[in-house]
């Protein structure tokens, strides 16, 4: 009596599970025991995609081209003896689509700073498959460890403006699992905030007092000075 095939082993032999547009992948399906001939059927979300017959114990190889988002998802294969009823199913493989990241945007709540001030920088790519890894730079020198974000949110770093050398050009970079996906942000510069002189309030106060004296003197002329002048004539 023929031996029914065992549950087939389903594995990826070419390509990756994180796929990009127009990528080719090759899948292998093999029952290690069972009487040939064996019919192998490839399924995607329980819909038949392709079928191959094997007259010996060699794997069935299925080659796919990921041409659209509808081609990703869960795949599995089925092995059955000579088109008999029943059959055994394999483990599943799940393909996910990898999207390149957009150019990250580097920003800060403030563009002006002064010495002794704490400031923040945030780096964010609006598009691209997660996770996304960010890193911050000043004049091409790294100023932070890499920050990997599992959610669609900005990476943030904190800076202390200690000297004039901290008012340089800052950038950040972002990348994900998409091949050669690294992109750099716009450049960002902090400008030195003008510090108010401590003498300014005093000067303003003296100016107001002088102005009030002039106004008071002008008002006093018709009431006191002119009558006194006429009385002395």
């Amino acid at each position: 009596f023929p031996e029914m095939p065992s549950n087939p082993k389903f594995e990826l032999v070419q390509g990756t599970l994180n796929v990009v547009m127009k990528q080719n992948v090759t899948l292998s399906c093999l029952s290690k025991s069972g009487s040939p001939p064996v019919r192998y059927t490839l399924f995607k979300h329980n819909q038949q995609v392709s079928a191959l017959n094997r007259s010996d114990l060699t794997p069935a190889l299925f080659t796919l081209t990921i041409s659209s988002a509808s081609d990703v998802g869960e795949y599995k294969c089925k092995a059955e003896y000579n088109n008999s009823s029943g059959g055994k199913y394999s483990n599943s493989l799940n393909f996910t689509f990898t999207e390149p990241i957009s150019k990250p945007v580097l920003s800060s709540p403030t563009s002006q700073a002064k010495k002794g001030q704490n400031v923040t920088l945030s780096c964010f790519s609006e598009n691209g498959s997660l996770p996304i890894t960010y890193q911050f730079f000043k004049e091409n020198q790294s100023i932070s460890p890499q920050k990997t974000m599992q959610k669609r949110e900005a990476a943030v770093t904190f800076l202390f403006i200690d000297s004039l050398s901290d008012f340089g050009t800052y950038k950040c970079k972002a990348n994900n699992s998409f091949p050669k996906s690294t992109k750099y942000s716009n450049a960002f510069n902090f400008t030195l905030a003008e510090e108010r002189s401590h003498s300014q309030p005093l000067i303003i106060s003296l100016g107001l007092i002088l102005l009030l004296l002039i106004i008071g003197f002008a008002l006093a002329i018709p009431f006191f000075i002119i009558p006194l002048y006429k009385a002395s004539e």
Side-chain angles (χ1 to χ4, degrees), residues 127-147:
N127 299 310
S129 301
L130 297 171
I132 298 176
T133 299
Y134 298 95
Q135 192 168 16
F136 294 86
F137 296 86
K138 177 183 175 293
E139 309 292 353
N140 298 322
Q141 296 294 320
S142 174
I143 59 171
S144 74
Q146 292 186 347
K147 301 175 184 288

Side-chain angles (χ1 to χ4, degrees), residues 197-211:
S197 172
H198 294 295
S199 62
Q200 282 184 341
L202 179 60
I203 294 173
I204 293 173
S205 298
L206 291 175
L208 289 174
I209 293 172
L210 180 60
L211 180 61

Side-chain angles (χ1 to χ4, degrees), residues 90-158:
S90 71
N91 55 294
S92 61
L93 294 175
N94 192 42
F95 289 95
T96 57
F97 203 59
T98 301
E99 180 188 8
I101 57 174
S102 56
K103 180 178 178 178
V105 175
L106 182 64
S107 61
S108 175
T110 178
S111 61
Q112 292 188 330
K114 57 186 178 182
K115 289 191 290 183
Q117 181 178 345
N118 290 307
V119 295
T120 61
L121 284 171
S122 64
C123 186
F124 180 65
S125 287
E126 186 175 356
N127 299 310
S129 301
L130 297 171
I132 298 176
T133 299
Y134 298 95
Q135 192 168 16
F136 294 86
F137 296 86
K138 177 183 175 293
E139 309 292 353
N140 298 322
Q141 296 294 320
S142 174
I143 59 171
S144 74
Q146 292 186 347
K147 301 175 184 288
T148 300
M149 312 303 292
Q150 303 291 338
K151 298 180 179 180
R152 186 75 59 189
E153 57 188 14
V156 178
T157 191
F158 300 91

